[in-house]
């Protein structure tokens, strides 16, 4: 099967690319191995995506984006891409079911939550250890929970958890939060939130379910035990770069380096969204990456179409 554009990953980056690519008349297919929407569907409130003055859920926002891509006629396939190979100007994409040929690949596979890798974390995952407050928050009505991390995700999700929990600790390894000031201020004002500064989790304790955390204060070197019913881990994200990591340039964190056209070092292979090396990981920047990638793809196809057709 031959396509102009194959988009891998249907988060905001992939959907942004889908709108521009399909609207531009390019034959476009979007592969997603899981749920359409990526990480943002796990966010309860999106309040900084322009155009929607009423706060909406990540799920609803993605629903609208998907409907817009459908309107312009891109195909969606639930399938896992297993390999991407460049053969001359063409790209060969092997999925778990078929092999596809495309002029352009837009790689928008996003990122996934980083683990702390401390004792108890893996064993108690799903038993009080969670990486998704939107999914599991309601299980902690009138309970005491902790969030680990000091970035936007940690602080936003701590605020969300105050709707259910009686107390929310934010455990942060420094004495300043990384989250943007607007969110910090809301956390500082919220009476249910207490920040445990300069501290890391050494161990998550509990037989069947989480019962407490062993904390280490990095300034005083004192260990303490914090009783909690659940712990939500938001210590950053890692890139889903496996399919391309040996073929493109990566930064030290494994995120893909692109030029201003969102092109990787492989001609006709673009990247968009959280997988890209960038200063700001937001829905709005992911969508923008996707738009630029699709716009650049159209130009690249125009410039190379004669050669592509010769080698079909
Ligand atoms: P992040 O910004 O990378 O923050 C990760 C946090 O975890 C940092 O505070 C970091 O501490 C801490 N940390 C890292 N490793 C740790 C460890 N092993 N133990 C304890 N703490 C650790 O990640 P994020 O909050 O998941 O956000 C990811 C991206 O999405 C960011 O670009 C963010 O801006 C964006 N985002 C935006 C929004 C929004 O705009 N509404 C919402 C969510 C996420 P240090 O501060 O000391 O490094």
């Amino acid at each position: 099967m031959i396509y102009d554009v194959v988009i891998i990953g249907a988060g905001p980056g992939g959907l942004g690319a889908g709108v521009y690519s399909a609207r531009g008349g390019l034959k476009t297919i979007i592969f997603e191995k899981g749920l359409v929407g990526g990480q943002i569907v796990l966010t309860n409130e999106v309040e900084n995506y322009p155009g929607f003055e009423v706060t909406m859920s990540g799920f609803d926002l993605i629903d609208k984006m998907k409907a817009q891509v459908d309107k312009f006629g891109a195909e969606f396939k639930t399938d896992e891409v297993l390999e991407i190979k460049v053969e001359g100007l063409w790209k060969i994409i092997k999925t778990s079911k078929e092999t596809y040929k495309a002029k352009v690949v837009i790689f928008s596979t996003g990122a996934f939550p980083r683990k702390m890798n401390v004792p108890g974390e893996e064993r108690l995952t799903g038993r009080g250890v969670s990486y998704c407050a939107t999914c599991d928050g309601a299980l902690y009505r009138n309970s005491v929970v902790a969030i680990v991390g000091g970035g936007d995700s940690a602080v936003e999700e701590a605020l969300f958890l105050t709707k259910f929990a009686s107390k929310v600790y934010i455990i942060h390894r420094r004495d300043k939060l990384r989250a943007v000031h607007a969110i910090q201020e809301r956390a500082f004002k919220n009476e249910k939130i207490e920040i445990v500064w300069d501290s890391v989790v050494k161990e998550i304790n509990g037989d069947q379910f989480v019962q407490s955390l062993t904390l280490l204060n990095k300034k005083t070197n004192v260990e303490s035990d914090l009783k909690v019913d659940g712990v939500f881990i938001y210590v950053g994200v890692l890139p889903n770069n496996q399919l391309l990591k040996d073929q493109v340039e990566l930064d030290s964190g494994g995120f893909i380096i692109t030029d201003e056209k969102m092109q990787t070092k492989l001609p006709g292979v673009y990247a968009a969204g959280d997988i890209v090396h960038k200063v700001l990981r937001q829905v709005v920047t992911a969508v923008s990456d996707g738009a630029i990638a699709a716009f650049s793809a159209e130009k690249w196809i125009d410039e190379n179409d004669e050669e592509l057709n010769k080698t079909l």
Side-chain angles (χ1 to χ4, degrees):
M1 272 163 286
I2 299 177
Y3 285 84
D4 292 321
V5 177
V6 161
I7 298 171
I8 304 170
L15 295 175
V19 168
Y20 276 72
S21 174
R23 185 169 178 268
L26 299 174
K27 190 179 176 201
T28 304
I29 186 165
I30 305 179
F31 289 107
E32 173 57 61
K33 68 173 178 180
L35 279 180
V36 168
Q39 294 194 105
I40 195 66
V41 293
L42 305 179
T43 298
N44 208 52
E45 292 182 351
V46 180
E47 58 179 19
N48 56 0
Y49 188 73
F52 299 97
E53 77 282 20
V54 178
T55 298
M56 67 165 77
S57 68
F59 185 87
D60 288 344
L61 181 58
I62 287 298
D63 216 35
K64 287 183 183 298
M65 286 188 196
K66 161 91 170 49
Q68 198 177 5
V69 181
D70 284 338
K71 185 179 99 178
F72 291 122
E75 286 176 48
F76 279 87
K77 257 248 146 73
T78 307
D79 199 353
E80 182 171 8
V81 174
L82 301 176
E83 191 182 77
I84 304 166
K85 255 190 349 200
V86 177
E87 281 184 9
L89 291 179
W90 287 92
K91 287 86 199 172
I92 311 299
I93 300 101
K94 279 196 184 144
T95 73
S96 63
K97 296 177 190 144
E98 315 255 9
T99 298
Y100 297 78
K101 204 167 172 179
K103 296 174 181 173
V104 158
V105 164
I106 299 177
F107 195 70
S108 50
T109 49
F112 62 97
R114 184 203 300 270
K115 299 207 162 143
M116 292 191 298
N117 294 319
V118 298
E121 182 177 4
E122 199 178 330
R123 180 174 59 83
L124 292 166
T125 293
R127 295 166 170 271
V129 174
S130 172
Y131 301 86
C132 178
T134 304
C135 319
D136 299 330
L139 302 171
Y140 293 91
R141 279 178 208 282
N142 304 317
S143 308
V144 178
V145 296
I147 286 245
V148 189
D152 287 335
S153 300
V155 181
E156 270 191 2
E157 300 307 322
L159 284 161
F160 172 68
L161 284 171
T162 61
K163 292 184 183 177
F164 310 104
S166 55
K167 174 99 191 169
V168 179
Y169 292 101
I170 296 178
I171 296 156
H172 184 41
R173 63 184 179 182
R174 289 189 291 137
D175 60 1
K176 277 193 187 72
L177 295 173
R178 179 179 290 275
V180 293
H181 282 284
I183 312 176
Q184 286 193 26
E185 288 308 319
R186 277 161 55 194
F188 293 148
K189 281 189 197 139
N190 192 306
E191 287 177 356
K192 284 188 178 178
I193 292 180
E194 181 176 335
I195 304 182
V196 182
W197 299 106
D198 302 310
S199 297
V200 291
V201 175
K202 276 197 75 182
E203 187 162 355
I204 303 174
N205 312 302
D207 294 331
Q208 294 298 315
F209 293 94
V210 169
Q211 289 171 319
S212 72
L213 306 175
T214 305
L215 303 183
L216 173 69
N217 185 304
K218 291 176 71 187
K219 279 200 175 147
T220 60
N221 232 7
V222 171
E223 273 190 22
S224 61
D225 197 58
L226 183 70
K227 298 232 169 311
V228 293
D229 303 302
V231 56
F232 291 83
I233 298 166
Y234 284 98
V235 295
V237 292
L238 296 171
N240 279 316
N241 63 11
Q242 297 81 351
L243 281 172
L244 275 185
K245 69 178 177 6
D246 299 325
Q247 304 182 64
V248 298
E249 201 183 341
L250 304 175
D251 70 11
S252 58
F255 294 91
I256 295 177
I257 295 175
T258 64
D259 63 15
E260 75 280 7
K261 295 176 180 164
M262 305 314 297
Q263 187 167 245
T264 68
K265 76 168 203 194
L266 296 173
V269 177
Y270 299 83
D274 279 2
I275 187 74
V276 173
H277 166 84
K278 56 163 86 179
V279 292
L280 186 62
R281 287 202 169 79
Q282 306 269 296
V283 178
V284 71
T285 60
V287 167
S288 160
D289 294 347
I292 296 168
F295 171 81
S296 311
E298 194 179 335
K299 295 255 173 293
W300 188 87
I301 291 171
D302 277 351
E303 284 159 19
N304 292 285
D305 221 25
E306 213 177 300
E307 190 58 31
L308 281 159
N309 287 331
K310 270 194 225 154
T311 51
L312 187 60

